[in-house]
Amino acid sequence: MKSVAFLKYLFMGILFFFGMHIHAFGQSLKKYVKEGDQYFNSGDYASAVLNYRLAMHMDSSILNIDYQYAEATRILLDYAQSEKWYGFVFKKDKGKKYPLASFWYASMLKNNGKYKEAKLHFDKYYKKNSAKKKNDYYTQKSFYEIAACDYALLLKTQPKPIQILHLDSNINSRSAEFAPYQKDSTLYYSSIRANVSDADAYYLTAIYLANQRNGNFIKADSIHLDDSLSGIGNLNFTADHQGVFFTQCTLQSAGNMHCDIYTARIKGSQLSDIEKLGAPINLSESNNTQPFVVEIKGGNRILYFVSDRKGGEGKLDIWAALLNEKNKCSKVYNLGKQINSLDDEVTPFYDANSRALYFSSNWHKGMGGFDIFKAALDSTGEKWSSPINIGAPINSSYNDLYFSLNPEKGNAFFVSNRKGSFTEKYATCCNDIYYYHQDVKDSTAAKKTQLAEIKLDASKEIQLLVPITLYFHNDEPNPRTKANVTTLNYLETYHNYIGMIGLYKNEYAKGLKGEKAKEAEQDILDFFTENVQSGEEDLEKFSALLLKLMHEGRDVSITLKGFCSPLASTDYNIKLAGRRLSSLRNFFDAFQEGALRPYLLHTDTTLPRIDITEEEVGELQASPFVSDNPNDSRNSIYSRSAAFERKIQIIAVSPKEKKK
């Protein structure tokens, strides 16, 4: 079978290039890598993945192959594999030869919904690069993503009360669907379908329509075209429903696509009077796609579209063109920095009822990949409000694009590659069409709807910090005692522990030489910066928010849990965990010179309360893989795995409603 070509970017009316090739297993590792690189450079990422995977089966320790495999799987939206191998390269290489591995590792963690881990690695990347590469795209992106991860957690905890429905196999296939648009009872959409009429198996985009009967869409048919026009998608109607705009994309060299915008007349499933728009909308040196037309006074129109032309704010931007009644363009302009960013803004849809532009972006604060945003146009028709994320469950950690509304039916459609989409490959490879029903009975109220960003109040913010993990040196505080309380404050134990970084590096690297010694030292340094230090920082934030909730008059319940390494008996471990939990109570009592103390004592019944409870702890909580040999201090005390066991956690926090 010869190569299978998909279109390169979904938001340009195309997906990626997938390849399926039969390989002789007798090939050498070097040949697999060479072929993998050739396929990668030509845009056939699936064939590249296959070759890299065969090479990795022979030897998975060659970081260049692992990194290229991670790159190819990321482009193909295989987030699980990409996270695994970027993480592998990052942990082995430590940013020396592959400095972007940590950035992409953080990005894949976010795509997989692991927001707290992603935030940690974005923060680490930013701190490492901000001094020397402050204006670099990846540095700016990582800084922006630190706050975006917090916001994603907030959106996840406050989903809208709607039911997301997945269109069935009458519409969605195991390839990819996009650009849904409902007119009356007919759904128009674009799809990538296989053409197997000859020896070459390849994929083309086409426009389909499906009629709705009794609430369900029946099997779809494609729009009829002559052979001279193929690879079309992104159909959009004029207000009179007699005309349409759409995109045609053609394959160029080395897997690149070029897209242009066309107009035509439509009747049923037939297109006629097909015409390619002229300059300055279509330009030979840029891609121009995803048209959406809005009727304005005097028979004129505004055409919103996506382009990577020069003069934009970033990569793909949303532009607008002023058209006359003959679709001739007198003006093209960029929607500006309020909408467009350093990254991609795509799939515009304008709702006349709310005067709002819906679009997708992978820069504005989102849950992962592309999120759908909404921005309102002011009464002058010139200024846009700040984009607002429309939230979960519409948005997810995956790619969410192509939002559209049908006010008459009350249906809202969008496209996503979230898990649950139909696929013959991995869970997140392909896009399907989803929809939900929204109440549009009160059109007047819809026009007056004000955009409002979900705000991060203290109650939600403190819950997003949990769980918080705090770490201790071996047998601290108060070693070799059987007391279950201490007078020490956690902050004292923390500063003592941080002061031992040099000791830990030396002890854990003892007996090792060269690169292995450096790796051991780096392993310890990473533990202290990524775990010990970040835990203390989260505790400070938690305590400040706790005080804020007290000032708001809200009772708060906190649940703590202790863990211990297996170096002593269960009875001793329970008392040691008690001392560690006691040090945390002491921290709360001393925070900001006793600001929390009145709320902890419960002596004044007019004040809100902080109630702290503790879960049981015992030796069974310890990992069976950690050494319990006291004579092997390198592994039982100074190893990263042993250090992970010596911890306590704030595992839950429950703010109550404000006292009246």
Side-chain angles (χ1 to χ4, degrees):
M1 184 182 293
K2 295 184 180 180
S3 66
V4 178
F6 280 152
L7 301 172
K8 189 176 181 183
Y9 292 101
L10 181 64
F11 44 74
M12 300 171 84
I14 36 187
L15 253 185
F16 300 96
F17 284 83
F18 281 77
M20 296 174 63
H21 295 263
I22 298 172
H23 293 262
F25 282 91
Q27 290 189 107
S28 67
L29 182 148
K30 187 178 291 186
K31 189 170 182 181
Y32 283 133
V33 175
K34 182 179 179 181
E35 288 190 5
D37 290 344
Q38 289 173 343
Y39 286 125
F40 188 97
N41 292 332
S42 70
D44 189 350
Y45 301 111
S47 292
V49 162
L50 178 57
N51 278 271
Y52 292 143
R53 187 184 295 135
L54 290 169
M56 290 161 69
H57 282 318
M58 294 180 175
D59 188 347
S60 63
S61 66
I62 302 174
L63 293 187
N64 182 58
I65 304 173
D66 302 333
Y67 186 76
Q68 283 298 104
Y69 180 76
E71 290 274 271
T73 52
R74 171 177 60 84
I75 294 170
L76 293 176
L77 311 181
D78 189 353
Y79 306 131
Q81 283 294 306
S82 195
E83 176 196 324
K84 175 182 176 180
W85 289 101
Y86 276 128
F88 180 82
V89 173
F90 160 65
K91 289 166 187 176
K92 290 288 185 182
D93 179 61
K94 305 300 181 186
K96 297 172 186 174
K97 189 175 179 181
Y98 304 97
L100 286 179
S102 62
F103 173 87
W104 289 120
Y105 179 48
S107 298
M108 295 304 99
L109 285 167
K110 189 183 180 194
N111 276 127
N112 287 318
K114 301 174 183 178
Y115 297 122
K116 292 193 79 171
E117 293 176 69
K119 178 184 176 181
L120 177 69
H121 287 282
F122 279 125
D123 183 64
K124 185 173 183 177
Y125 183 89
Y126 177 75
K127 287 176 179 176
K128 185 175 181 179
N129 293 280
S130 57
K132 295 181 180 179
K133 300 179 180 179
K134 186 175 182 180
N135 296 320
D136 175 71
Y137 162 81
Y138 297 101
T139 305
Q140 293 184 67
K141 178 78 167 176
S142 61
F143 177 76
Y144 203 74
E145 288 288 10
I146 294 167
C149 286
D150 283 337
Y151 191 60
L153 277 168
L154 174 65
L155 293 173
K156 188 177 179 180
T157 61
Q158 297 188 26
K160 296 179 182 296
I162 58 175
Q163 181 183 9
I164 301 297
L165 301 172
H166 183 201
L167 288 177
D168 63 24
S169 57
N170 280 331
I171 303 297
N172 288 315
S173 70
R174 296 190 179 276
S175 295
E177 282 67 43
F178 56 99
Y181 183 90
Q182 189 177 30
K183 180 178 77 71
D184 300 327
S185 294
T186 303
L187 179 68
Y188 294 83
Y189 66 98
S190 304
S191 182
I192 298 171
R193 302 286 170 92
N195 182 329
V196 290
S197 60
D198 52 31
D200 288 327
Y202 60 94
Y203 285 71
L204 288 174
T205 57
I207 297 169
Y208 292 77
L209 68 152
N211 293 314
Q212 190 174 20
R213 295 178 185 171
N214 299 321
N216 297 315
F217 290 101
I218 62 173
K219 194 69 176 178
D221 293 318
S222 62
I223 293 285
H224 299 301
L225 296 168
D226 60 49
D227 293 337
S228 64
L229 197 64
S230 61
I232 69 168
N234 300 309
L235 189 73
N236 175 246
F237 283 82
T238 58
D240 60 9
H241 290 171
Q242 302 300 308
V244 292
F245 290 80
F246 62 92
T247 302
Q248 182 191 30
C249 296
T250 55
L251 178 63
Q252 307 293 308
S253 60
N256 293 316
M257 303 297 297
H258 180 79
C259 299
D260 289 310
I261 297 171
Y262 287 72
T263 185
R265 305 294 291 174
I266 186 168
K267 186 174 183 180
S269 60
Q270 298 284 344
L271 293 184
S272 62
D273 300 329
I274 298 170
E275 181 182 0
K276 178 180 173 181
L277 296 181
I281 296 174
N282 288 319
L283 300 174
S284 60
E285 66 271 18
S286 67
N287 284 289
N288 309 285
T289 183
Q290 298 167 9
F292 188 87
V293 66
V294 177
E295 307 291 329
I296 57 176
K297 294 179 180 180
N300 293 333
R301 297 165 174 166
I302 294 177
L303 178 70
Y304 295 106
F305 67 102
V306 171
S307 180
D308 58 2
R309 65 184 60 202
K310 293 179 181 179
E313 301 295 338
K315 299 176 183 177
L316 288 166
D317 277 9
I318 299 175
W319 296 72
L322 186 62
L323 305 179
N324 63 21
E325 66 276 6
K326 295 182 179 180
N327 293 324
K328 300 300 180 183
C329 176
S330 60
K331 181 182 179 183
V332 169
Y333 57 95
N334 187 285
L335 293 197
K337 293 182 179 180
Q338 191 81 324
I339 301 295
N340 294 312
S341 70
L342 292 179
D343 234 315
D344 296 312
E345 279 68 45
V346 296
T347 63
F349 173 90
Y350 183 80
D351 176 39
N353 283 334
S354 59
R355 295 176 58 85
L357 178 74
Y358 291 85
F359 64 97
S360 289
S361 172
N362 57 6
W363 179 272
H364 299 299
K365 284 194 298 186
M367 300 183 73
F370 283 95
D371 273 33
I372 300 166
F373 294 85
K374 181 179 180 181
L377 189 62
D378 69 7
S379 58
T380 67
E382 296 180 356
K383 187 176 180 181
W384 296 99
S385 67
S386 296
I388 301 300
N389 190 303
I390 67 173
I394 307 164
N395 285 322
S396 67
S397 65
Y398 308 103
N399 286 327
D400 302 294
L401 311 107
Y402 280 108
F403 183 89
S404 68
L405 285 170
N406 182 325
E408 289 75 23
K409 294 289 184 180
N411 291 330
F413 296 87
F414 66 97
V415 166
S416 179
N417 69 325
R418 63 188 60 192
K419 290 181 179 179
S421 298
F422 299 142
T423 172
E424 289 180 350
K425 299 180 183 295
Y426 37 87
T428 56
C429 87
C430 304
N431 293 269
D432 276 0
I433 299 172
Y434 293 80
Y435 78 105
Y436 64 92
H437 189 81
Q438 65 175 25
D439 188 5
V440 292
K441 291 180 181 178
D442 189 351
S443 59
T444 302
K447 291 179 183 179
K448 295 180 179 179
T449 298
Q450 299 296 314
L451 301 183
E453 185 171 9
I454 295 176
K455 296 299 181 182
L456 193 62
D457 63 16
S459 176
K460 288 296 179 184
E461 192 171 359
I462 197 170
Q463 291 181 72
L464 294 179
L465 287 170
V466 173
I468 296 174
T469 306
L470 307 171
Y471 295 91
F472 297 80
H473 178 51
N474 184 58
D475 202 18
E476 291 289 350
N478 307 121
R480 296 180 296 280
T481 69
K482 292 189 176 181
N484 61 3
V485 294
T486 182
T487 60
L488 292 174
N489 179 325
Y490 171 73
L491 207 55
E492 296 174 87
T493 71
Y494 164 77
H495 287 303
N496 290 336
Y497 197 20
I498 288 292
M500 296 180 182
I501 293 177
L503 172 65
Y504 269 73
K505 288 168 65 176
N506 292 335
E507 289 296 320
Y508 191 53
K510 188 180 291 184
L512 302 176
K513 295 181 179 179
E515 197 63 32
K516 288 187 176 181
K518 291 180 181 178
E519 287 181 5
E521 291 179 356
Q522 187 64 48
D523 204 32
I524 293 300
L525 185 60
D526 287 346
F527 168 73
F528 275 94
T529 56
E530 294 176 8
N531 300 96
V532 181
Q533 184 177 334
S534 65
E536 190 276 334
E537 290 172 353
D538 283 348
L539 178 61
E540 295 281 357
K541 294 176 188 175
F542 181 94
S543 303
L545 290 167
L546 188 58
L547 182 59
K548 186 176 181 180
L549 289 171
M550 294 302 101
H551 291 163
E552 292 178 0
R554 305 179 70 167
D555 292 342
V556 177
S557 296
I558 301 170
T559 305
L560 311 180
K561 189 174 183 64
F563 305 83
C564 298
S565 65
L567 276 178
S569 67
T570 299
D571 180 65
Y572 188 88
N573 277 339
I574 290 173
K575 290 183 171 61
L576 176 57
R579 297 199 297 276
R580 290 171 175 168
L581 292 169
S582 174
S583 75
L584 178 55
R585 287 176 177 268
N586 294 340
F587 172 86
F588 287 136
D589 184 74
F591 182 73
Q592 290 189 10
E593 300 180 344
L596 292 172
R597 189 175 301 142
Y599 313 105
L600 291 161
L601 292 176
H602 307 162
T603 54
D604 186 343
T605 57
T606 65
L607 293 176
R609 296 165 56 99
I610 299 174
D611 292 300
I612 299 177
T613 58
E614 298 173 7
E615 287 200 354
E616 293 183 1
V617 66
E619 191 176 23
L620 291 176
Q621 297 293 338
S623 169
F625 303 106
V626 178
S627 172
D628 60 357
N629 182 358
N631 297 316
D632 179 18
S633 62
R634 177 183 183 271
N635 291 305
S636 64
I637 295 176
Y638 298 106
S639 70
R640 181 170 178 153
S641 56
F644 265 120
E645 299 295 328
R646 301 191 296 265
K647 63 191 177 187
I648 60 173
Q649 285 184 330
I650 302 173
I651 62 172
V653 57
S654 302
K656 305 298 189 296
E657 292 301 318
K658 294 180 181 180
K659 285 197 169 187
K660 296 181 180 179

